[in-house]
Amino acid sequence: MLTFEELKHNSDINTYITAANKSLLALGFTEHSFAHVGKVAQTAADILKTLGYDDEEIELVKIAAYLHDIGNLVNRVDHSQSGAVMAFRILDNLKMPAEMIAKIVTAIGNHDEGTGVPVDELSAALILADKSDVRRTRVRQLDKSSFDIHDRVNYSVTNAKLLINEEKTQIRLSLNIDTEYSSIMDFFEIFMERMLLCRKAAEKLGLIFKLSINDQQLI
């Protein structure tokens, strides 16, 4: 079986991730490079590990997370679907078994709001991990006066935690937001659809999704 560590050192894959991130930089999007995919991989793995999934499922979700944004190389529009097709070709050429490829491609193709659906546990974990990666270091625009709403919201987040409770009944995204840069309403303006998708993803894993901002529960 192809491992996550082997995938991380594949020069072709890393070229695609770098090029996709460069395209998003030109379009004014936040960071979508190795810091993002690495964090998403770790978070998705932690979710499944906490819920008792086996090592193979954890390895597969990490691979899906590492590859989930390569479709931005093609275009931002429908990048989850184009990324899924790219991932299929990559993994097939690397001789990964078809049943494993199917799980990874399904997760990638369903990770984005608008078209994505948490059809299985891997896609649910990927959705939650991806949508919870909100942080100041993702902002690439240095001039604060030029921030758009996505820059303001990401820059305003001073701390973000995604945690499952001890009873394994709830998963909570807890954010601390510096309202000097962004309001809570700004967050909901751009992230409401993502939070609703997170709620569906949590339900797929048998959990209730909660969102708190500055210690106030909002969902």
Side-chain angles (χ1 to χ4, degrees):
M1 174 179 168
L2 175 70
T3 68
F4 174 62
E5 287 301 318
E6 290 171 339
L7 197 80
K8 283 172 60 178
H9 293 95
N10 184 293
S11 61
D12 290 343
I13 291 170
N14 289 335
T15 296
Y16 301 147
I17 293 173
T18 299
N21 185 54
K22 184 177 180 181
S23 293
L24 291 182
L25 173 61
L27 294 171
F29 283 85
T30 54
E31 180 267 325
H32 283 70
S33 190
F34 299 105
H36 172 61
V37 298
K39 182 174 177 59
V40 173
Q42 187 58 59
T43 302
D46 288 344
I47 291 170
L48 293 190
K49 184 176 181 179
T50 300
L51 295 176
Y53 286 83
D54 62 35
D55 290 343
E56 181 178 295
E57 297 292 288
I58 293 169
E59 193 75 1
L60 292 179
V61 83
K62 288 165 70 176
I63 291 172
Y66 197 74
L67 297 173
H68 81 278
D69 270 339
I70 58 174
N72 287 300
L73 175 65
V74 179
N75 198 292
R76 179 62 179 174
V77 178
D78 295 330
H79 75 279
S80 56
Q81 287 84 2
S82 54
V85 174
M86 289 178 65
F88 171 81
R89 184 179 183 277
I90 291 166
L91 297 175
D92 187 49
N93 285 342
L94 292 172
K95 308 302 181 184
M96 177 175 272
E99 62 272 17
M100 294 180 180
I101 295 176
K103 292 181 179 181
I104 292 169
V105 167
T106 296
I108 295 172
N110 280 283
H111 83 269
D112 203 39
E113 66 273 11
T115 57
V117 178
V119 296
D120 58 19
E121 290 76 10
L122 262 68
S123 60
L126 177 56
I127 287 167
L128 286 161
D130 182 40
K131 306 314 170 192
S132 64
D133 186 19
V134 188
R135 52 186 162 82
R136 178 167 291 186
T137 51
R138 293 194 70 184
V139 177
R140 299 194 275 193
Q141 169 63 259
L142 299 178
D143 181 4
K144 296 184 181 66
S145 65
S146 300
F147 279 0
D148 64 12
I149 188 170
H150 290 85
D151 292 328
R152 293 200 309 272
V153 168
N154 278 276
Y155 194 84
S156 72
V157 176
T158 58
N159 190 41
K161 294 180 181 178
L162 185 68
L163 298 172
I164 297 172
N165 65 354
E166 290 186 9
E167 296 78 15
K168 300 179 183 178
T169 58
Q170 295 182 5
I171 185 166
R172 178 182 296 274
L173 176 58
S174 178
L175 302 176
N176 289 333
I177 288 181
D178 183 345
T179 55
E180 177 185 351
Y181 299 102
S182 175
S183 68
I184 293 175
M185 284 303 297
D186 284 340
F187 176 87
F188 278 107
E189 181 178 340
I190 63 172
F191 282 133
M192 176 59 82
E193 192 174 8
R194 300 182 194 185
M195 295 300 99
L196 294 175
L197 184 58
C198 283
R199 185 166 67 182
K200 293 178 182 178
E203 290 171 356
K204 189 66 181 181
L205 293 167
L207 302 170
I208 298 170
F209 179 72
K210 300 289 185 180
L211 170 67
S212 62
I213 300 179
N214 293 349
D215 297 323
Q216 297 295 315
Q217 183 170 312
L218 300 175
I219 295 178

